[in-house]
Amino acid sequence: TSGEVLTPAGRARLAAYVEGGGGFVGVHAAACTEYDWPYYGTLLGARFDRHPAHQPGRVVVEDGDHPATRDLPPVWEFTDEWYDFLANPRDTVRVLARVDESSYEGGGMGEDHPLIWCREQGAGRVFYTALGHADEAYASPHFLAHLRGGIGWAARTV
């Protein structure tokens, strides 16, 4: 998704669901959604700023024990739009992986560039991955294992 997609009632239901123990998973453009709703920015952990051209780069796993990253190699070659965020979320989230900005052109966050993270919100769980722009990503066994792990963690099924 991108932009403002929820009605006021939808916003209230989503917040109540997560606060009450539900899971929320955001993929890629979920970071450029609901800019007019401050709760959503807190929920997700960061807001999209910009990205360079779609290109190969390296994902560096920081937490290989999490279900979303345990099936990934420690350094994962991947092609995507490498999102920069308005602020580094590291202080408010559990960073699972970052992107190595030296592996692609046009990065704007520097050496500490979180890309995949999770957090708790109320009684709920939130998982976000900045990956997933192109259709080809969804044919990658590593990417699919990554998504399954993140979804399972947020839903408390793994």
Side-chain angles (χ1 to χ4, degrees):
T1 61
S2 292
E4 308 309 312
V5 297
L6 295 173
T7 64
R11 288 176 172 184
R13 286 186 197 112
L14 176 60
Y17 173 75
V18 175
E19 296 294 332
F24 179 84
V25 174
V27 177
H28 194 61
C32 41
T33 302
E34 295 294 335
Y35 280 101
D36 292 339
W37 186 25
Y39 175 86
Y40 184 82
T42 300
L43 174 77
L44 197 64
R47 299 270 194 181
F48 169 79
D49 184 27
R50 58 172 289 282
H51 65 77
H54 186 261
Q55 61 188 299
R58 282 190 300 272
V59 176
V60 179
V61 173
E62 292 188 13
D63 184 343
D65 292 331
H66 192 277
T69 51
R70 68 174 156 222
D71 293 323
L72 300 179
V75 177
W76 179 27
E77 301 288 336
F78 199 73
T79 299
D80 215 307
E81 289 179 335
W82 304 104
Y83 274 16
D84 288 344
F85 300 96
L86 293 173
N88 186 321
R90 187 172 294 276
D91 291 342
T92 60
V93 302
R94 176 181 168 192
V95 175
L96 305 176
R98 68 183 187 283
V99 63
D100 175 357
E101 282 198 5
S102 73
S103 68
Y104 69 96
E105 293 184 16
M109 290 188 65
E111 191 172 316
D112 184 20
H113 187 153
L115 193 69
I116 301 162
W117 59 78
C118 62
R119 61 183 302 276
E120 297 193 11
Q121 176 71 37
R125 287 181 166 182
V126 177
F127 169 76
Y128 175 74
T129 179
L131 303 175
H133 172 72
D135 292 345
E136 300 81 42
Y138 299 86
S140 162
H142 280 121
F143 183 69
L144 294 175
H146 167 59
L147 285 181
R148 270 192 305 275
I151 292 166
W153 179 84
R156 300 178 196 268
T157 61
V158 294

